[in-house]
């Protein structure tokens, strides 16, 4: 069974609900992503966002890649939410849901919150991408041929395993959270 992760570790100015029944809900503000339009399909990952200082809205997020990560994450910017629908990640401003960004890294397999560094780190098949309060902080060079598994996170670094295709095995890597520089890993 595919589980949905929710991590609201970063301070945030909203609440979320995942159990939304669109057939009975009176929908005043509903947005369909990736276009952030008010008319669209009604299938996808549905999230109700309830900002503390404005009216609620519902987002319907188009999925990306079967079996990849699905979840909702608070961001280093307390007025944004990160929604991941089957590996496709979106950053949306909660007070103006028509201001949003579709994350270029795809598909997202893992997300880690590093509160001490104010970073949200996203892992796809080949790289790690770190977002801070003002957007992208760094993107690693390619770490893997096809698969990253994060094994340990501290306030200074991320350690993991990267698939090395020529050797047909996983190899270790370590990434500096300040810079995104890495040691180890494997890439073509």
């Amino acid at each position: 069974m595919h589980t949905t992760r929710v991590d609201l570790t970063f301070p945030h100015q909203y609440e979320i609900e995942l159990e939304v029944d669109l057939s009975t809900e009176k929908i005043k503000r509903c947005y369909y992503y990736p276009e952030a339009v008010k008319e669209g399909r009604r299938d996808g990952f549905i999230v109700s966002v309830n900002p503390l200082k404005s009216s609620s809205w519902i987002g319907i997020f188009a999925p990306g890649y079967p079996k990849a990560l699905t979840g909702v994450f608070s961001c280093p910017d307390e007025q944004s939410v990160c929604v991941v629908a089957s590996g496709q990640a979106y950053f949306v401003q909660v007070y103006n849901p028509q201001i949003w960004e579709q994350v270029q890294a795809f598909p997202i397999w893992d997300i880690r919150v590093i509160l001490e560094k104010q970073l949200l780190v996203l892992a796809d098949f080949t790289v790690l991408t770190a977002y801070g309060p003002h957007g992208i902080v760094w993107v690693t060079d390619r770490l893997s041929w096809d698969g990253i598994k994060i094994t340990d996170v501290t306030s200074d670094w991320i350690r993991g395993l990267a698939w090395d295709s020529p050797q047909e095995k996983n190899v270790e890597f370590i990434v500096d959270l300040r810079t995104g520089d890495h040691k180890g890993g494997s890439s073509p």
Side-chain angles (χ1 to χ4, degrees):
M1 179 175 169
H2 197 254
T3 60
T4 301
R5 278 184 51 197
V6 176
D7 187 330
L8 302 176
T9 301
F10 285 115
H12 51 284
Q13 296 183 9
Y14 52 87
E15 295 178 356
I16 60 152
E17 294 176 44
L18 299 181
E19 302 296 324
V20 180
D21 183 359
L22 293 178
S23 64
T24 61
E25 180 97 16
K26 288 187 177 181
I27 300 171
K28 293 181 181 176
R29 294 176 50 186
C30 187
Y31 299 93
Y32 305 90
Y33 297 88
E35 285 85 25
V37 295
K38 292 186 179 184
E39 297 295 326
R41 299 174 59 157
R42 295 204 175 232
D43 58 342
F45 181 44
I46 301 171
V47 178
S48 176
V49 180
N50 306 301
L52 299 179
K53 298 178 184 175
S54 85
S55 58
S56 299
W57 54 273
I58 292 173
I60 302 176
F61 297 86
Y65 190 88
K67 299 183 183 179
L69 178 68
T70 294
V72 179
F73 304 84
S74 58
C75 297
D77 161 17
E78 65 185 41
Q79 295 183 18
S80 295
V81 62
C82 177
V83 177
V84 183
S86 297
Q88 183 60 67
Y90 306 86
F91 285 96
V92 182
Q93 289 189 11
V94 297
Y95 290 109
N96 188 352
Q98 290 181 303
I99 298 175
W100 63 283
E101 171 187 355
Q102 186 170 338
V103 174
Q104 296 305 307
F106 176 82
I108 302 302
W109 288 98
D110 197 0
I111 291 185
R112 298 300 174 105
V113 172
I114 298 93
L115 191 59
E116 299 84 4
K117 295 280 192 260
Q118 291 291 291
L119 293 176
L120 191 63
V121 178
L122 291 72
D124 67 15
F125 282 133
T126 60
V127 300
L128 299 180
T129 304
Y131 282 83
H134 305 291
I136 293 177
V137 175
W138 50 256
V139 178
T140 63
D141 290 333
R142 191 167 178 158
L143 297 171
S144 175
W145 283 75
D146 189 20
I148 291 175
K149 180 180 178 185
I150 297 172
T151 58
D152 192 23
V153 179
T154 73
S155 59
D156 296 318
W157 46 264
I158 290 180
R159 184 181 307 266
L161 299 172
W163 179 248
D164 186 326
S165 189
Q167 295 186 53
E168 296 185 4
K169 68 176 187 175
N170 284 314
V171 295
E172 289 188 1
F173 68 82
I174 188 168
V175 175
D176 184 323
L177 287 174
R178 289 174 295 120
T179 65
D181 293 336
H182 76 279
K183 293 180 181 174
S186 175
S187 65

